[in-house]
Amino acid sequence: RSSCISGDMFRRVVRASKFRHVFGQALKNDQCYDDIRVSRVTWDSSFCAVNPKFVAIIIEASGGGAFLVLPLHKSGRIDKAYPTVCGHTGPVLDIDWCPHNDQVIASGSEDCTVMVWQIPENGLVTGLSEPVVVLEGHSKRVGIITWHPTARNVLLSAGCDNLVIIWNVGTGEAMIQLEDMHPDVIFSACWNRNGSLICTACKDKTIRVIDPRKEEIVGEKEKAHEGARPMRAIFLSDGNVFTTGFSRMSERQLALWNPQAMDEAISVHEMDTSNGVLLPFYDPDTSVVYLCGKGDSSIRYFEITDEAPFVHYLSTFTTKEPQRGMGYMPKRGLDVNKCEIARFYKLHERKCEPIIMTVPRKSDLFQDDLYPDTAGPDCAIEAEDWFEGRNGEPILISLKNGYVPGKNRDLKVVKKNILDNKLSKNAENTGTVNKSASSTPSIKNEGKLEEILKEIKSLKDLVSSQEKRIIQLEEQMSKIAI
């Protein structure tokens, strides 16, 4: 049942929630990233992506497209000469950090390509223009990219050619192409919690829920929002779909849908008559959705529950300056000792300002009600498993002692020989034998590699201890010579 509620009604209902008193705070100037020329491209992406190690920001770049990658601690004024990631020949439109490797980021550009980059452990020292892999398959600009939440090296891209492509980044191949599903520009695309479905919002005002491996639409709603301006659609962890868009009277709306019964919304809320697209950021652990309007100077947040009106207004965090874009930190990057439940990276014209959201608590103990186990950085399955039809739920971690980043392995791309593919289809039976054989050497190789690395380390240690010894002897000699 759809319940259209006017703004005041919406705010008058006070209900008990531990998130009623979320306290938002912009960090001081010395903790901001300053003197950054934020991109001016007219495209409704968030222009910013963050993880527990880095903040990445799409910037103005002459003669091509570039983005900055800064270690989180590198706040303050950013030098004009600071190195960028600069391999695209046209403006960068969207960036997304890999959820399973904090050194790997993907970018989509007006140059019709998707590029995947490996950022050095401590950030960039020189400009990075060589991606690990270039994914070519779109015929128009690529405005949306998003990594699979639980399968390693699976990446979705959507372009202004109305095409959705799902890639195996490990082999550089376009594995699934969803053509003829979207008659117009795709505004947003989002995976569900285990990555078995995607939902899209399209310029034809239709929200679609798609099973990408079967290449079929399993639910759709035409005119989900009747206004002509861009919509957004995201999956919630219970499988419902949350959308933002505009009414026929150009009011901004939110709505909640059940993909099994999309003819009628579970609930619809009118918000205001601002014209900035509402970017939704969702925390599956607390069921809170944060809405950041492009060009707004506020972040509103709502709790989603299974009792009417289902979408409960919590509060608004307001600043003086409008936001050009917004990054949203994954839960494992937050400071649990400060009861931080969300952190945003707000883009101004010339700077990036972190905003932290905390739930004030008197106790210093770990607040387990605020921090249920959350998705960790380990993938549940490999790309091949997923393309063969398997699903993997997110692997959860406890934040009780804070998140300690592990060592990320380098992204390696194995370009397949197309001839092998044809051969293996003729000889499927032998293929299985080869497969198991080929996976063991890689484990052996990894072991060998570790041995070699250890040996190199011990040699380095030996060299440095000998250097010290030489310096000591030289000092003694100089004393004797005197």
Side-chain angles (χ1 to χ4, degrees), residues 84-113:
T84 61
V85 180
C86 51
H88 284 288
T89 56
V92 177
L93 299 177
D94 198 15
I95 48 178
D96 193 31
W97 285 106
C98 172
H100 309 122
N101 186 334
D102 288 341
Q103 315 284 134
V104 171
I105 188 168
S107 55
S109 160
E110 264 183 32
D111 66 13
C112 309
T113 68

Side-chain angles (χ1 to χ4, degrees), residues 117-421:
W117 309 86
Q118 173 105 23
I119 305 299
E121 187 77 33
N122 302 311
L124 297 178
V125 188
T126 58
L128 185 57
S129 57
E130 286 296 312
V132 182
V133 63
V134 181
L135 305 174
E136 295 176 301
H138 286 285
S139 58
K140 288 194 177 158
R141 59 191 189 151
V142 184
I144 297 167
I145 44 171
T146 172
W147 290 91
H148 192 286
T150 62
R152 190 199 313 278
N153 289 347
V154 176
L155 181 67
L156 177 153
S157 62
C160 294
D161 48 10
N162 315 340
L163 176 65
V164 172
I165 301 181
I166 300 176
W167 308 85
N168 181 343
V169 174
T171 60
E173 290 174 290
M175 304 293 288
I176 296 169
Q177 304 206 26
L178 304 176
E179 299 173 274
D180 311 325
M181 283 190 183
H182 301 90
D184 212 327
V185 174
I186 300 162
F187 286 139
S188 78
C190 175
W191 296 96
N192 67 348
R193 187 131 166 95
N194 70 359
S196 57
L197 299 171
I198 58 173
C199 67
T200 61
C202 177
K203 196 173 177 180
D204 68 349
K205 301 181 188 177
T206 303
I207 299 292
R208 294 174 176 82
V209 176
I210 299 166
D211 182 327
R213 289 169 297 191
K214 290 190 178 146
E215 302 191 16
E216 61 187 43
I217 296 170
V218 295
E220 66 185 321
K221 173 63 181 172
E222 293 174 19
K223 294 209 172 123
H225 297 278
E226 302 209 359
R229 292 187 54 70
M231 305 190 298
R232 281 279 184 283
I234 58 170
F235 266 112
L236 305 180
S237 51
D238 61 3
N240 286 341
V241 171
F242 178 89
T243 60
T244 66
F246 293 80
S247 71
R248 203 178 309 137
M249 307 301 292
S250 290
E251 288 178 301
R252 294 200 287 192
Q253 289 180 321
L254 341 168
L256 195 58
W257 310 87
N258 172 357
Q260 269 82 51
M262 294 207 43
D263 43 337
E264 187 92 54
I266 299 170
S267 81
V268 180
H269 295 299
E270 252 88 49
M271 297 236 312
D272 57 16
T273 51
S274 219
N275 63 1
V277 174
L278 287 168
L279 306 176
F281 296 97
Y282 171 62
D283 176 7
D285 307 335
T286 56
S287 295
V288 174
V289 169
Y290 300 86
L291 296 182
C292 305
K294 269 211 144 176
D296 286 13
S297 45
S298 62
I299 299 173
R300 294 169 207 200
Y301 31 111
F302 299 82
E303 189 174 3
I304 298 178
T305 66
D306 38 23
E307 79 243 16
F310 305 105
V311 180
H312 309 269
Y313 170 77
L314 289 171
S315 184
T316 301
F317 169 76
T318 313
T319 52
K320 294 189 189 74
E321 302 271 320
Q323 55 233 13
R324 300 275 304 271
M326 196 67 86
Y328 178 62
M329 177 66 79
K331 211 58 180 290
R332 60 194 172 89
L334 303 182
D335 186 342
V336 296
N337 301 318
K338 293 200 175 105
C339 294
E340 186 182 13
I341 60 159
R343 191 188 312 158
F344 292 93
Y345 285 73
K346 171 180 163 177
L347 301 184
H348 301 244
E349 274 184 31
R350 305 280 313 188
K351 75 168 177 180
C352 170
E353 172 186 50
I355 292 168
I356 58 176
M357 302 276 182
T358 50
V359 175
R361 292 279 165 99
K362 289 192 172 70
S363 161
D364 287 341
L365 300 173
F366 177 69
Q367 306 290 312
D368 48 11
D369 62 324
L370 297 182
Y371 302 106
D373 288 357
T374 191
D378 288 339
C379 60
I381 53 175
E382 297 294 330
E384 289 69 23
D385 301 328
W386 186 79
F387 287 111
E388 281 165 12
R390 281 195 287 268
N391 291 322
E393 296 302 318
I395 295 178
L396 304 183
I397 57 170
S398 164
L399 293 177
K400 186 155 190 174
N401 302 312
Y403 164 67
V404 181
K407 185 91 179 78
N408 287 313
R409 55 188 205 182
D410 283 0
L411 171 61
K412 292 192 177 56
V413 177
V414 186
K415 289 284 191 196
K416 283 190 178 160
N417 183 336
I418 295 164
L419 296 172
D420 289 355
N421 233 355

